[in-house]
Amino acid sequence: MKAEPTTPMTAQPSTTDILSAALDVREAARHAVRGKGAADNVLAALSAVIDHDHASLSRWDPLLRRHVTLAGSYPAGPTRYIETRLHDDPAFALIRHTPGTTSWWHDVPAPVRGASTGFQEVLEPLGVQDGVAQCLYSADGRYVGILNLSTTRARCDQPAVRAVMTLLGECLAAVADPLAGHRSPGPGSSGHTCAVLLPDTGDAEGAGDPAPVTVSGEPLPGLTEAGSPLVALLRRTAARRTLPATVLVPYRQRMLELHLSRQGDRTVVVCRTVARPAALSPRELEVLAELTQGRTNREIADRLYVSPRTVATHIEHILAKLDVPNRVAAAGRAVAWGLEPAP
């Protein structure tokens, strides 16, 4: 009797295959964070972990209060939904506030699915049968974005895949995190670190510029006020320096290290308090910063509301502490540090 032909079944990937694919995802994510690869490469690598039909890796933008797609293959309608409406969807609220950051389609309770516009009007019309939504968090607990994967085939959450997706959360979050790849606190850090996004909008005079938005830590006074002297200094620095750049600024008896870098149409500013270099006093640092601008003792005195004699004394102390012969050499040392006059 002749055997009937059978249709070969696609074998599920082995645990070894899944783990090997996860290593490729991690490597693609590292390249993306370092600017040596695109987020699309991360999604391409993820296809070997979950054979998806649609995918999206999105960053949460605290300035726009919406998601921004870094890479994706959903049609225009679902992409627009993820970017502008997902954060108001009841299913998203459940996913974001449920312990663990990975949720599979069939894990979402039926009442939530029924109330979710995303399920009813976006995904089900695409014929999606399974998928994952993975909220992404930075190491310090900030929500930075979301990964969405959808498939029109059967369930794709075999145990090894579930475990791997949870383990990949950290490296995927690094791709979405606007602060990833920035300098970590150095040995001079005194503990206070924060970060803000500085928009590049407003008119040519700087009037009407929106205030910076905090993305990490507790901002120092003046760092999130649109018209503050400190914010004005940040804008001037971003305009005249090649970024990324790091400057030191004496500010309210503190020494601030400000690291500025570009991200699209805004500047990312990481601010931390650091130890004062060369054991200089706060006032000596202010005087030294003024020397970088080539100002005379009289000009410095007028700006700092002290006498020219006091300025001269401070300069004598500065030269001794830096062990340099003159004010030009002292100014050169300060320029090398990135020292800027106080705002």
Side-chain angles (χ1 to χ4, degrees):
M1 183 176 179
K2 185 176 180 180
E4 292 293 328
T6 58
T7 302
M9 296 184 64
T10 303
Q12 287 188 329
S14 68
T15 298
T16 300
D17 292 335
I18 293 170
L19 292 174
S20 177
L23 293 176
D24 291 338
V25 173
R26 188 173 65 176
E27 189 64 20
R30 285 176 176 171
H31 282 296
V33 170
R34 295 169 184 167
K36 298 180 179 179
D40 298 274
N41 296 337
V42 178
L43 294 185
L46 271 170
S47 65
V49 178
I50 298 179
D51 184 19
H52 53 263
D53 295 290
H54 308 288
S56 173
L57 180 59
S58 306
R59 168 182 291 149
W60 175 251
D61 190 317
L63 286 175
L64 302 177
R65 301 295 301 170
R66 52 171 281 184
H67 290 94
V68 176
T69 301
L70 300 176
S73 59
Y74 283 96
T79 297
R80 187 163 52 251
Y81 182 86
I82 291 171
E83 291 188 332
T84 62
R85 299 174 60 194
L86 174 64
H87 54 282
D88 292 323
D89 194 295
F92 174 73
L94 174 71
I95 292 168
R96 184 168 176 180
H97 297 294
T98 299
T101 59
T102 305
S103 295
W104 299 80
W105 266 57
H106 36 269
D107 290 340
V108 178
V112 177
R113 291 168 64 105
S116 167
T117 303
F119 276 101
Q120 301 298 318
E121 300 180 13
V122 178
L123 295 179
E124 289 185 0
L126 289 176
V128 172
Q129 297 296 314
D130 197 14
V132 61
Q134 185 164 1
C135 289
L136 305 174
Y137 294 87
S138 66
D140 58 1
R142 290 175 291 112
Y143 173 72
V144 294
I146 188 168
L147 170 74
N148 289 282
L149 299 176
S150 301
T151 174
T152 58
R153 293 172 293 283
R155 290 178 64 150
C156 58
D157 66 328
Q158 63 192 94
V161 174
R162 277 187 174 257
V164 160
M165 290 305 298
T166 300
L167 292 173
L168 288 175
E170 183 178 346
C171 70
L172 295 173
V175 178
D177 189 355
L179 302 183
H182 291 279
R183 300 175 3 156
S184 59
S189 175
S190 59
H192 186 99
T193 303
C194 61
V196 299
L197 293 180
L198 183 66
D200 281 355
T201 55
D203 59 32
E205 303 297 325
D209 286 329
V213 172
T214 304
V215 292
S216 177
E218 182 67 27
L220 295 172
L223 193 57
T224 55
E225 300 166 11
S228 75
L230 183 55
V231 171
L233 180 141
L234 293 177
R235 291 193 181 280
R236 289 196 302 271
T237 301
R240 73 171 187 261
R241 285 180 178 257
T242 300
L243 301 186
T246 301
V247 297
L248 296 177
V249 180
Y251 181 70
R252 298 187 179 183
Q253 300 297 305
R254 298 176 178 179
M255 193 68 195
L256 302 186
E257 179 192 76
L258 303 169
H259 182 70
L260 293 79
S261 61
R262 296 296 301 167
Q263 184 192 96
D265 61 349
R266 72 281 307 269
T267 301
V268 180
V269 182
V270 178
C271 171
R272 60 177 58 96
T273 53
V274 295
R276 296 190 299 272
L280 295 168
S281 71
R283 180 61 88 181
E284 289 167 351
L285 281 166
E286 290 178 342
V287 171
L288 179 58
E290 297 295 335
L291 289 180
T292 66
Q293 307 302 304
R295 296 189 173 107
T296 66
N297 286 12
R298 168 58 68 182
E299 291 171 332
I300 296 173
D302 291 343
R303 286 176 56 82
L304 300 183
Y305 303 102
V306 295
S307 71
R309 180 181 291 274
T310 299
V311 172
T313 300
H314 285 314
I315 292 175
E316 289 179 8
H317 294 163
I318 290 169
L319 299 183
K321 290 181 179 180
L322 298 183
D323 192 24
V324 293
N326 52 51
R327 59 197 294 148
V328 173
R333 181 78 60 84
V335 168
W337 291 341
L339 188 64
E340 292 275 345

